[in-house]
Amino acid sequence: MIQKAKMILEKDFKVSEVDNRIYGSFVEHLGRAVYGGVYEPGHPQADENGFRQDVIEMVKELQVPLVRYPGGNFVSGYNWEDGVGPIEQRPRRLELAWRTTETNEIGTNEFMKWAQLVNAEVNMAVNLGTRGIDSARNLVEYCNHPGGSHYSDLRISHGVKDPYKIKTWCLGNEMDGPWQIGHKTAAEYGRIAQEAAKVMKWVDPTIELVACGSSHRNMPSFADWEATVLDHTYDHVEFISLHQYYGNRDNEISNYLALSLEMDDFIKSVISIADYIKAKKRGKKNINLSFDEWNVWYHSREQDKLIEPWSIAPPQLEDIYNFEDALLVGCMLITLLKHADRVKIACLAQLVNVIAPIMTEENGTAWKQTIFYPYMHTSVFGRGVSLNPIISSPKYDSKDFTDVPYLESTAVYNEEHETLTIFAVNRHLEEGLDLTVDIRNFDSYEVVEHIVLENNGNLKQTNSAQGTPVAPHTNGNAKAENGSVAAVLPKLSWNVIRLAKRRKSIRFHDL
Ligand code: AHR
């Protein structure tokens, strides 16, 4: 028997305006993300800078507004000065985070040029592992100061006259993790983050700063870490970061698809810690959340153990995503939207070749992973106001979760363009979900299209350079009538129901 679910959408039930930066992504000097992904001189599609134009086109399709750079674990051992100035004079370094050799062929200025080509802002991370306050404030000066000082003039001498005005900056990366170069206790990190933040803002008071939260929710120091770090940095930062990766290691799909409930809980916990510190400080400002690493990551873990140490740009973290991964990514995107009032930055980790929606073949094609689609749909159609839907859905229990709704859904209203977009996942393994959405005060809205990503019976289906069997179609059956939308969401499917206000046709006698 087909299951039924209901949803009510009201223009005035708002979570918040969506900050477009929640559709951000991440490019780290890791594996083939930069070398072989973004940059492959000699490739038939390379432009005069060596940037692959096929990759640029796909990044533009995703409309990525923000890219975190240059790491990740990489940044904790990185000397940014190695990556600027004449390329032939740049040093080769042993890159200790990923045990590779970094050639430094691409550095700050090359990456900023690429970011401009894809219309993205950069979320720049500074090294608080092996470096500290001095190199952080110098990098801000190099990037953002107009001129007339040592580092701003150095940038100008490197051919970049105008400052980049980079707005968002990360104060290091995952400093709570023992694997991190320069790992610190919460108190040690809190102090250095506070002092680095202070002087970075003395150089450029317009910047926004992200302090490192926990590397994931199961870190033993989680919660105490956030409280201690924010106790030190509350007056100096705008954001605390969250990182989380999931995998279906036990091959239990019902449990796997429920992991976005854990993500939801993680977000709520970090909000409550940030608010506790605000209360303790009798503060006025909210610390917002930067979920600046999130994705599925588990397929490539074994293969990565075989990498030859100190190779240049080896294939690392090249997860090949399947259909079920795309559904979880869809659920995670919906979860981020539901918290649009506090999650103002999020970065799908990563963008090209490394746990990425876009893959490239050396000297060959670029292709789209399964997760490309939910990411693209939300980024393109999910701009406007995140609505707070009232949902009633049948539920199930899984190994680790109780009361998991079969329907995971939310909606974004764009007042300017008079569009309403419903994003929905049906978690049911065997049955379609008969969805009715009461759209009450969305008068004269009609369905533009109902996009569906559904499965052909093989949940492990992947895409490849040879073809994309996992790709959406627009044959969903959503219909709008008398203030409500009716649709059947196929079993295990990702759905995008796009509505727009009917345009009145202008008749001759109205003119
Ligand atoms: O995104 C891959 C790695 O995951 C990042 O370098 C690190 O921050 C995290 O552990």
Side-chain angles (χ1 to χ4, degrees), residues 26 28 30 68 72-74 98 173-174 179-180 243 245 293 297 317 349-350 354-355:
F26 177 28
E28 177 168 2
L30 158 58
R68 186 166 174 252
N73 296 340
F74 169 82
W98 301 103
N173 177 69
E174 294 189 350
W179 60 86
Q180 200 68 209
H243 290 182
Y245 297 98
E293 285 189 35
W297 173 15
L317 281 62
Q350 300 192 8
V354 170
I355 42 175

Side-chain angles (χ1 to χ4, degrees), residues 136-321:
R137 58 116 185 217
N138 293 343
L139 182 57
V140 178
E141 183 183 320
Y142 183 88
C143 292
N144 283 11
H145 196 69
S149 66
H150 177 76
Y151 286 104
S152 57
D153 287 345
L154 186 65
R155 181 197 70 241
I156 294 167
S157 77
H158 294 156
V160 183
K161 185 171 158 291
D162 295 325
Y164 293 119
K165 298 186 182 156
I166 296 172
K167 185 176 167 192
T168 28
W169 295 74
C170 297
L171 296 163
N173 177 69
E174 294 189 350
M175 301 308 301
D176 62 326
W179 60 86
Q180 200 68 209
I181 303 170
H183 165 223
K184 294 177 175 40
T185 65
E188 287 166 348
Y189 172 68
R191 283 289 301 134
I192 192 174
Q194 174 189 342
E195 291 304 310
K198 192 176 83 184
V199 297
M200 286 166 78
K201 284 192 171 170
W202 282 352
V203 176
D204 181 355
T206 69
I207 61 177
E208 291 188 351
L209 296 172
V210 184
C212 288
S214 296
S215 301
H216 55 83
R217 184 173 169 269
N218 291 334
M219 289 296 289
S221 54
F222 169 59
D224 284 342
W225 173 276
E226 279 74 3
T228 306
V229 167
L230 285 177
D231 213 359
H232 286 286
T233 58
Y234 176 83
D235 288 329
H236 304 275
V237 305
E238 284 67 35
F239 295 93
I240 182 88
S241 75
L242 296 82
H243 290 182
Q244 190 70 53
Y245 297 98
Y246 292 123
N248 188 9
R249 286 182 193 82
D250 305 330
N251 197 17
E252 288 192 46
I253 175 111
S254 304
N255 202 53
Y256 181 53
L257 294 182
L259 283 165
S260 58
L261 272 59
E262 187 191 288
M263 183 192 202
D264 184 72
D265 195 56
F266 186 21
I267 292 172
K268 286 178 182 149
S269 307
V270 176
I271 292 172
S272 58
I273 300 164
D275 290 350
Y276 157 70
I277 296 295
K278 177 185 175 190
K280 188 177 165 193
K281 304 258 179 199
R282 280 74 170 160
K284 286 206 164 44
K285 73 172 183 192
N286 279 341
I287 297 290
N288 284 323
L289 275 53
S290 171
F291 213 127
D292 48 38
E293 285 189 35
W294 69 270
N295 202 348
V296 169
W297 173 15
Y298 76 109
H299 298 286
S300 59
R301 298 261 185 188
E302 287 308 307
Q303 181 186 316
D304 282 343
K305 293 181 185 152
L306 309 173
I307 303 275
E308 184 66 29
W310 316 124
S311 26
I312 297 174
Q316 284 171 303
L317 281 62
E318 297 208 358
D319 270 42
I320 303 300
Y321 294 114

